[in-house]
Amino acid sequence: MNKLKNIILVLLISSGLSVFAVTQIPSPVNTNVNLEKSLPKTVTSDTVNDAVTVNPLQLVAKPSAYLNKNVKITAKFDKFSTLGLDYKPAMRSSENYISFLIQRPDITDHNIPLSELKIFITRTEAEKYIELNSGDIIEFSGKVFSTALGDPWMDAQKFTVISSKPKEENK
């Protein structure tokens, strides 16, 4: 009989507490990180070739948003490379193309390439710029043709040197 009284007492207490309990509804947590708010906003339209000027970090953050679109980027040149050449899902032959890397715009105290962005230029066009040095300011535009591996892959169709670093002479 004592056990029955104890069970009834526990049930009454727990039901009484539930009547006075305040239910808190958790506010929804946004797990999506909005990179556009944290990145510099640089999107304008170029009426000459219908290219959108874009910050390279935005392009890397959301490559699918720029797929099959013409983009224009101003950046610091890093080096010519063979990165991404002859990769079948986004094929650009090493016989006809060379890739180049730009420096990450979010890091200013080191020269770190933005290797997530695969940029291709024809070898004949690249030969015109053989004297480029790391840190020279360039502007290029072209089409993002693939998002293989989750990275943007683009053909640079227009390439311009904006400014070159002064050459250091050996003394």
Side-chain angles (χ1 to χ4, degrees):
M1 190 71 166
N2 259 348
K3 283 186 179 182
L4 184 60
K5 285 183 182 179
N6 284 340
I7 292 173
I8 292 173
L9 182 60
V10 167
L11 287 174
L12 286 173
I13 291 173
S14 63
S15 65
L17 287 176
S18 66
V19 170
F20 295 108
V22 177
T23 305
Q24 273 195 343
I25 299 172
S27 62
V29 177
N30 185 2
T31 57
N32 297 332
V33 176
N34 190 349
L35 290 173
E36 290 179 5
K37 286 183 180 178
S38 64
L39 298 175
K41 192 76 169 168
T42 325
V43 178
T44 59
S45 181
D46 182 337
T47 55
V48 174
N49 61 4
D50 199 31
V52 174
T53 301
V54 65
N55 180 304
L57 294 176
Q58 287 175 315
L59 179 57
V60 167
K62 294 189 175 198
S64 59
Y66 298 96
L67 183 61
N68 297 319
K69 295 198 172 121
N70 291 322
V71 296
K72 181 172 24 175
I73 297 172
T74 302
K76 285 185 180 180
F77 177 81
D78 191 60
K79 64 184 152 242
F80 288 105
S81 172
T82 58
L83 181 68
L85 291 169
D86 299 320
Y87 178 63
K88 289 187 184 193
M91 185 62 176
R92 291 298 180 261
S93 168
S94 58
E95 290 180 20
N96 302 320
Y97 290 89
I98 187 102
S99 60
F100 65 91
L101 296 167
I102 60 172
Q103 294 177 5
R104 292 188 66 90
D106 57 339
I107 299 178
T108 56
D109 58 344
H110 291 84
N111 292 337
I112 299 186
L114 185 63
S115 59
E116 300 91 335
L117 176 56
K118 314 310 189 267
I119 315 160
F120 302 97
I121 190 169
T122 62
R123 285 190 176 271
T124 53
E125 185 68 15
E127 288 171 359
K128 298 175 187 175
Y129 303 102
I130 200 74
E131 297 294 321
L132 273 176
N133 292 307
S134 182
D136 289 350
I137 307 296
I138 59 170
E139 182 178 86
F140 57 95
S141 59
K143 188 172 194 170
V144 177
F145 68 89
S146 178
T147 57
L149 301 173
D151 292 339
W153 299 63
M154 79 177 278
D155 284 321
Q157 297 158 342
K158 186 176 177 186
F159 189 96
T160 309
V161 178
I162 303 296
S163 66
S164 297
K165 289 179 15 181
K167 306 247 187 269
E168 293 180 16
E169 294 186 30
N170 296 334
K171 293 184 180 181

